[in-house]
């Protein structure tokens, strides 16, 4: 039955609302934190992808979270996504969410309260009756500040179903317009999920007034399966994240849900507003920002997702791709032509290729990226789409960096102490550093500390190859920590040492942004 919602008007029966929580549930997992600029960039990309709701953060969690939610709320007009902020069921949280989302053209206050006996007894120390009362109070308060209010039953899938029905009824009565039932600990099986949603949608008085939403964690690898089971039982909002990032084993992956809905329309009878050819670009942007690539065999966006290795499969695909492909690579943003530009290619061809890959860059970014592309093409026989994407992501992500790597020289060999000299531009001024180390990377990082003195703990150093071959680009991730603040930096280059220096400088820049948000601006001088 068609439903009328304060943010979406009359919704067609088969329309699935995509509620993206990459910036909240995704961002709260260890190592995946993003700074404000990165969140804004991700929010733009998610809007271009077609996400209907962006959960921009948890406004009360910190001044930084509040600022992120507010900045994202200011960014979009009525044509943009609904902007949500998470709140526990108390006045301070709800008021923080109301305030932070106020600038949004379409704000949403999202309230969560646990409903399982275990959570109520151990965590909340509340009785069932107290929880019911709190639902009514908190949803009523939120509705005084926003027309669009979502209520979530934390640990809903492990809650007593009779009691859950009473909670949902109370939330709808108090004015909740979306009811979300999370599988918070990733425990449910698809059949459980189907039963929970069928029961709630068919039995709760007033259920027809709200949109039912599903939110699944992947502890048993069932997040997407549970999401699809909920859709089959009538859920019309799906909570998910790009690349499936999120607490512990993550959330349902947006790209997998969107493509399942599209590919299996015959069984699911539903559609999303996702522009699927933008999926790969959005996935890569997140990987670049966070420093975590997806595994090669990840559905939809993994490097091998459309690669056919066995002779029998290759033969079939050459005759007719549908023999072994249930969706086309182009439908999610992969290009069929993986060998692309070379050192003789011009700026126009480069710009054109970027456009095909989904990048719209300004003239300055284009110039910088083109310069790096030419350098790369000189060193590398074949430049693949993945190389170009890594290179442009580097430039786009680094647009506002205060420290830039301008030169690096390393001498190393058997029986000699590795030595590095480095040149940086710090707020436009050149500074140099020199140091030895236990290896080429160690010497390079020491030279960086010599050029720009600072004290941080190096927590992670990881190298990955972007494409195959000995001339492949390396992507390096560096994680550093200062006073409990963690940042990740990425760098790519055909030379692993240069990629390492780029990653280190990137992390350092992120740390400076983090410092500036909690302290007065630092004067950058070596
Ligand atoms: O997993 C969960 O229960 C959540 C809620 C806050 C919706 O993330
Ligand atoms: Zn969650």
């Amino acid at each position: 039955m068609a439903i009328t919602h304060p943010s979406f008007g009359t919704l067609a029966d088969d329309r699935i609302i995509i509620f993206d929580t990459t910036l909240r549930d995704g961002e709260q997992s260890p190592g995946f934190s993003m700074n404000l600029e990165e969140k804004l960039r991700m929010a733009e990309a998610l809007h271009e992808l077609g996400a209907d709701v962006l959960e921009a953060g948890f406004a009360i969690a910190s001044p930084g979270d509040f600022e992120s939610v507010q900045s994202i709320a200011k960014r979009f007009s009525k044509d943009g996504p609904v902007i949500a902020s998470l709140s526990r069921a108390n006045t301070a949280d709800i008021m923080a969410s109301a305030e932070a989302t106020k600038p949004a053209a379409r704000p949403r206050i999202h309230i969560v309260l646990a409903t399982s006996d275990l959570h109520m007894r151990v965590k909340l120390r509340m009785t069932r009756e107290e929880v019911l009362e709190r639902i009514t109070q908190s949803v009523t308060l939120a509705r005084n500040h926003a027309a669009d209010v979502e209520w979530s039953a934390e640990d809903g899938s492990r809650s007593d179903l009779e009691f859950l029905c009473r909670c949902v009824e109370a939330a709808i009565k108090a004015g909740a317009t979306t009811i979300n039932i999370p599988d918070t600990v990733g425990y449910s099986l698809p059949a459980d999920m189907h039963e929970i949603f069928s029961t709630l949608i068919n039995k709760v008085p007033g259920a027809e007034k709200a949109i039912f939403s599903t939110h699944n964690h992947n502890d048993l690898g069932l997040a997407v399966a549970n999401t699809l089971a909920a859709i089959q039982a009538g859920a019309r909002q799906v909570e998910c994240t790009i690349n499936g990032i999120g607490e512990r084993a993550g959330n349902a992956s947006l790209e997998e849900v969107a493509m399942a809905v599209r590919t299996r329309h015959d069984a699911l009878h539903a559609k999303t507003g996702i522009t699927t050819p933008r999926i790969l670009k959005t996935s890569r942007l997140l990987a670049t920002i966070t420093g975590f690539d997806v595994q090669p065999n990840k559905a939809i966006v993994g490097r091998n997702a459309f690669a056919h290795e066995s002779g029998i499969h290759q033969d079939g695909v050459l005759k007719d791709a549908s023999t072994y492909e249930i969706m086309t690579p182009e439908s999610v943003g992969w290009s069929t032509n993986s060998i692309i530009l070379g050192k003789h290619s011009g700026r126009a061809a480069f710009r054109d290729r970027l456009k095909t890959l989904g990048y719209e860059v300004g003239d300055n970014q284009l110039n910088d990226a083109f310069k790096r592309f030419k350098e790369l093409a000189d060193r590398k026989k074949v430049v693949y789409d993945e190389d170009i994407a890594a290179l442009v992501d580097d430039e786009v992500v680094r647009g506002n960096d205060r420290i830039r790597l301008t030169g690096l020289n390393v001498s190393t060999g058997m029986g000699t102490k590795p030595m590095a000299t480095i040149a940086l531009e710090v707020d436009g001024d050149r500074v140099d550093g020199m140091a030895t180390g236990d290896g080429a990377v160690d010497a390079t990082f020491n030279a960086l500390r010599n050029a720009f003195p600072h004290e941080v703990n190096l927590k992670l150093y990881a190298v990955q190859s972007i494409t195959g071959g000995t001339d492949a680009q390396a992507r390096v991730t560096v994680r550093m920590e200062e006073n409990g603040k963690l940042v990740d930096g990425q760098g790519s280059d055909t030379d692993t040492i240069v990629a390492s220096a780029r990653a280190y400088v990137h992390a350092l820049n992120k740390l400076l942004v983090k410092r500036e948000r909690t302290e007065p601006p630092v004067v950058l001088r070596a």
Side-chain angles (χ1 to χ4, degrees):
M1 194 181 46
I3 185 165
T4 303
H5 185 274
S7 290
F8 301 112
T10 304
L11 262 184
D13 263 3
D14 59 348
R15 177 67 156 82
I16 302 292
I17 302 290
I18 296 288
F19 175 115
D20 180 277
T21 184
T22 305
L23 300 174
R24 199 278 299 166
D25 212 324
E27 206 251 359
Q28 77 193 32
S29 49
F32 282 84
S33 65
M34 298 173 223
N35 64 34
L36 178 60
E37 287 70 16
E38 291 165 343
K39 283 188 184 175
L40 283 167
R41 207 175 141 56
M42 217 38 234
E44 291 282 1
L46 289 164
H47 168 48
E48 284 162 15
L49 180 66
D52 301 291
V53 184
L54 302 189
E55 188 162 48
F58 185 7
I60 195 126
S62 70
D65 267 56
F66 185 93
E67 189 192 359
S68 303
V69 176
Q70 198 173 45
S71 306
I72 293 170
K74 283 180 187 156
R75 179 62 66 105
F76 298 104
S77 65
K78 265 208 159 357
D79 303 329
V82 170
I83 305 300
S85 167
L86 183 65
S87 346
R88 288 161 298 186
N90 65 58
T91 305
D93 279 39
I94 292 169
M95 294 314 291
S97 283
E99 187 62 26
T101 55
K102 202 156 73 185
R106 293 188 295 163
R108 172 178 296 189
I109 299 175
H110 180 190
I111 301 169
V112 61
L113 185 63
T115 54
S116 67
D117 287 333
L118 177 66
H119 278 228
M120 288 189 293
R121 177 168 46 81
V122 176
K123 207 179 74 174
L124 299 178
R125 293 170 202 265
M126 287 168 81
T127 63
R128 287 186 174 191
E129 293 313 309
E130 284 168 339
V131 163
L132 281 167
E133 206 176 303
R134 184 70 73 83
I135 292 169
T136 304
Q137 283 167 358
S138 56
V139 173
T140 305
L141 173 66
R143 274 304 307 267
N144 288 336
H145 297 274
D148 184 338
V149 171
E150 171 168 337
W151 179 77
S152 281
E154 193 189 10
D155 208 18
S157 58
R158 290 196 301 170
S159 303
D160 174 74
L161 197 46
E162 288 280 308
F163 177 61
L164 189 60
C165 286
R166 290 177 65 204
C167 293
V168 168
E169 185 181 353
I172 294 173
K173 231 187 208 155
T177 47
T178 298
I179 298 293
N180 183 40
I181 310 297
D183 184 25
T184 302
V185 290
Y187 175 79
S188 284
L189 302 177
D192 305 331
M193 201 47 75
H194 196 280
E195 193 202 337
I196 292 170
F197 277 86
S198 303
T199 306
L200 293 173
I201 291 169
N202 295 316
K203 290 221 173 115
V204 169
E208 70 288 349
K209 293 190 201 133
I211 288 178
F212 279 79
S213 167
T214 183
H215 175 118
N216 297 295
H217 282 272
N218 208 27
D219 301 66
L220 294 174
L222 293 171
V224 172
N226 283 331
T227 301
L228 301 181
I231 290 176
Q232 287 186 305
R236 283 293 164 263
Q237 176 177 286
V238 164
E239 303 202 351
C240 46
T241 59
I242 297 294
N243 296 344
I245 69 169
E247 279 280 352
R248 306 180 310 279
N251 289 63
S253 119
L254 184 153
E255 58 277 10
E256 292 176 25
V257 172
M259 289 315 290
V261 167
R262 185 176 146 157
T263 308
R264 293 308 311 273
H265 187 267
D266 61 316
L268 296 164
H269 310 293
K271 59 173 192 266
T272 72
I274 295 297
T275 306
T276 62
R278 299 196 78 93
I279 283 178
L280 185 62
K281 176 184 177 339
T282 317
S283 158
R284 281 183 174 158
L285 177 66
L286 182 69
T288 303
I289 287 174
T290 59
F292 289 101
D293 272 332
V294 298
Q295 80 268 21
N297 62 325
K298 163 87 174 63
I300 318 292
V301 291
R303 193 187 308 157
N304 294 350
F306 292 91
H308 302 279
E309 183 71 24
S310 103
I312 297 173
H313 287 207
Q314 285 177 351
D315 180 52
V317 168
L318 286 173
K319 286 177 176 143
D320 180 344
S322 68
T323 50
Y324 290 98
E325 281 176 2
I326 56 168
M327 54 202 149
T328 66
E330 294 82 7
S331 67
V332 296
W334 290 97
S335 145
T336 38
N337 173 12
S338 65
I339 298 175
I340 51 160
L341 309 176
K343 65 179 177 180
H344 300 297
S345 308
R347 188 181 303 261
F350 182 67
R351 187 195 280 270
D352 191 57
R353 191 70 211 148
L354 288 185
K355 222 167 160 197
T356 312
L357 288 171
Y359 291 96
E360 305 276 349
V361 295
D363 284 346
N364 287 345
Q365 277 169 349
L366 177 75
N367 288 343
D368 291 348
F370 186 63
K371 193 164 157 258
R372 279 194 62 194
F373 159 72
K374 280 289 190 183
E375 288 162 8
L376 180 65
D378 262 343
R379 279 179 281 142
K380 198 170 182 300
K381 284 186 221 85
V382 188
V383 181
Y384 295 92
D385 283 356
E386 288 89 337
D387 292 316
I388 299 221
L391 184 151
V392 181
D393 286 340
D394 268 7
E395 289 305 325
V396 170
V397 167
R398 276 134 203 237
N400 298 323
D401 281 359
R402 296 173 68 185
I403 307 176
R404 300 180 85 89
L405 177 71
T406 53
L408 174 64
N409 221 302
V410 182
S411 62
T412 187
M414 281 171 76
T416 57
K417 184 103 178 144
M419 177 185 291
T421 55
I422 205 150
L424 302 176
E425 229 176 66
V426 179
D427 278 345
D429 293 336
R430 179 178 169 141
V431 290
D432 295 292
M434 180 192 281
T436 57
D438 287 336
V441 173
D442 191 43
T444 302
F445 289 178
N446 288 341
L448 264 157
R449 279 183 217 111
N450 177 251
F452 181 73
H454 59 278
E455 296 235 352
V456 292
N457 297 317
L458 209 55
K459 293 288 197 191
L460 175 104
Y461 171 80
V463 186
Q464 226 188 345
S465 155
I466 293 176
T467 53
T470 51
D471 65 350
Q473 282 202 92
R475 172 177 287 168
V476 174
T477 301
V478 164
R479 179 176 301 166
M480 53 178 68
E481 185 260 349
E482 183 189 63
N483 300 329
K485 291 174 193 145
L486 280 178
V487 286
D488 289 321
Q490 291 78 46
S492 51
D493 200 276
T494 48
D495 185 318
T496 309
I497 310 303
V498 176
S500 305
R502 284 188 197 284
Y504 193 103
V505 170
H506 184 214
L508 210 48
N509 276 300
K510 287 169 85 171
L511 203 60
L512 293 178
V513 173
K514 253 199 174 160
R515 274 191 204 160
E516 278 168 22
R517 288 169 64 197
T518 45
E519 292 168 9
V522 193
V523 179
L524 295 183
R525 208 47 69 226

